[in-house]
Amino acid sequence: QQQVKQSPQSLIVQKGGISIINCAYENTAFDYFPWYQQFPGKGPALLIAIRPDVSEKKEGRFTISFNKSAKQFSLHIMDSQPGDSATYFCAASIRGATNKLIFGTGTLLAVQP
Amino acid sequence: GAGVSQSPSNKVTEKGKDVELRCDPISGHTALYWYRQSLGQGLEFLIYFQGNSAPDKSGLPSDRFSAERTGGSVSTLTIQRTQQEDSAVYLCASSLQGVNTEAFFGQGTRLTVV
């Protein structure tokens, strides 16, 4: 119930294309869904986050789509660039005394020039 | 410093030895997390500190792992009698008090047990 399942494990996209990464969860108590981006040798950094009261959030080329009934959320990267090549992690946490982030297994994105 | 600082950045140790990993969170951040990232894997939650509350130790994989946070600031993760399977990157993160706030990660400590 605490798991967040992420797919695909790896993704190759041509420059200018759309990258799509999907996550699913079971625990309906989750109420915060961030995406983190990690470059080699660095710690993850927050990219964009959403709460379940909205179905979509867009920041620049990055969009989160959220489907509460299906318990799924996804990251869309529009006009993908080689500089977007990184590992992306979805995560979820529960409102309350603990703000523990539960992470997906990650997606290695390679954007080919 | 401006960000979460972890030391050492790399640590090679012999099997069976004890190691201590240090995390300096962002000043004023009351929440502190430790995660483990094995090669090509996701982030495995280890332990979570929030203010003066009892830590959430539910992710610690065995009793060889322990962590403390002194004075609500610096944290030390200790691994006793290290095993080869402990080899991983150990990441620390901190955040402000309150729910659903951004967690800022350090660059991690790469631990290699030989």
Side-chain angles (χ1 to χ4, degrees), chain A residues 1-21:
Chain A
Q1 270 240 327
Q2 288 289 341
Q3 285 187 326
V4 178
K5 296 182 180 180
Q6 183 172 347
S7 64
Q9 188 173 15
S10 62
L11 181 62
I12 299 174
V13 174
Q14 296 296 315
K15 179 182 176 181
I18 302 173
S19 304
I20 301 174
I21 305 171

Side-chain angles (χ1 to χ4, degrees), chain A residues 31-32 36 38 41-44 46 51 89 93-105, chain B residues 33 35 37 40-43 45 48 50 56 58 91 95 98-107:
Chain A
D31 68 342
Y32 175 64
Y36 279 77
Q38 185 180 31
K42 303 292 186 182
L46 180 66
R51 298 186 183 184
F89 294 95
S93 68
I94 302 172
R95 184 188 307 273
T98 176
N99 196 28
K100 182 171 67 180
L101 281 168
I102 305 298
F103 283 86
T105 50
Chain B
Y33 312 75
Y35 289 86
Q37 186 173 28
Q41 300 299 310
L43 282 73
F45 168 78
Y48 167 69
Q50 173 59 282
D56 178 351
S58 61
L91 289 160
S95 69
V99 297
N100 304 336
T101 58
E102 179 180 355
F104 293 83
F105 282 84
Q107 293 200 357

Side-chain angles (χ1 to χ4, degrees), chain B residues 27-100:
Chain B
S27 178
H29 281 194
T30 58
L32 187 146
Y33 312 75
W34 283 98
Y35 289 86
R36 178 168 69 176
Q37 186 173 28
S38 301
L39 185 62
Q41 300 299 310
L43 282 73
E44 176 189 4
F45 168 78
L46 298 177
I47 189 169
Y48 167 69
F49 296 90
Q50 173 59 282
N52 295 320
S53 302
D56 178 351
K57 304 179 181 180
S58 61
L60 294 178
S62 76
D63 58 7
R64 295 187 296 105
F65 288 73
S66 63
E68 63 177 17
R69 189 177 184 190
T70 54
S73 180
V74 172
S75 177
T76 301
L77 177 69
T78 301
I79 308 173
Q80 295 179 310
R81 305 181 302 281
T82 52
Q83 304 295 313
Q84 287 187 331
E85 60 263 29
D86 299 335
S87 296
V89 175
Y90 290 82
L91 289 160
C92 175
S94 70
S95 69
L96 290 168
Q97 186 174 1
V99 297
N100 304 336

Side-chain angles (χ1 to χ4, degrees), chain A residues 35-108:
Chain A
W35 284 88
Y36 279 77
Q37 179 187 56
Q38 185 180 31
F39 293 104
K42 303 292 186 182
L46 180 66
L47 186 63
I48 186 173
I50 197 169
R51 298 186 183 184
D53 53 347
V54 296
S55 60
E56 186 176 281
K57 182 174 182 180
K58 183 176 181 179
E59 291 185 1
R61 296 184 294 109
F62 300 91
T63 299
I64 299 178
S65 296
F66 186 81
N67 186 329
K68 189 173 182 178
S69 61
K71 293 183 285 187
Q72 296 176 346
F73 58 110
S74 60
L75 175 69
H76 293 63
I77 306 175
M78 312 299 288
D79 187 26
S80 299
Q81 300 296 312
D84 297 330
S85 298
T87 300
Y88 292 81
F89 294 95
C90 62
S93 68
I94 302 172
R95 184 188 307 273
T98 176
N99 196 28
K100 182 171 67 180
L101 281 168
I102 305 298
F103 283 86
T105 50
T107 297
L108 179 60

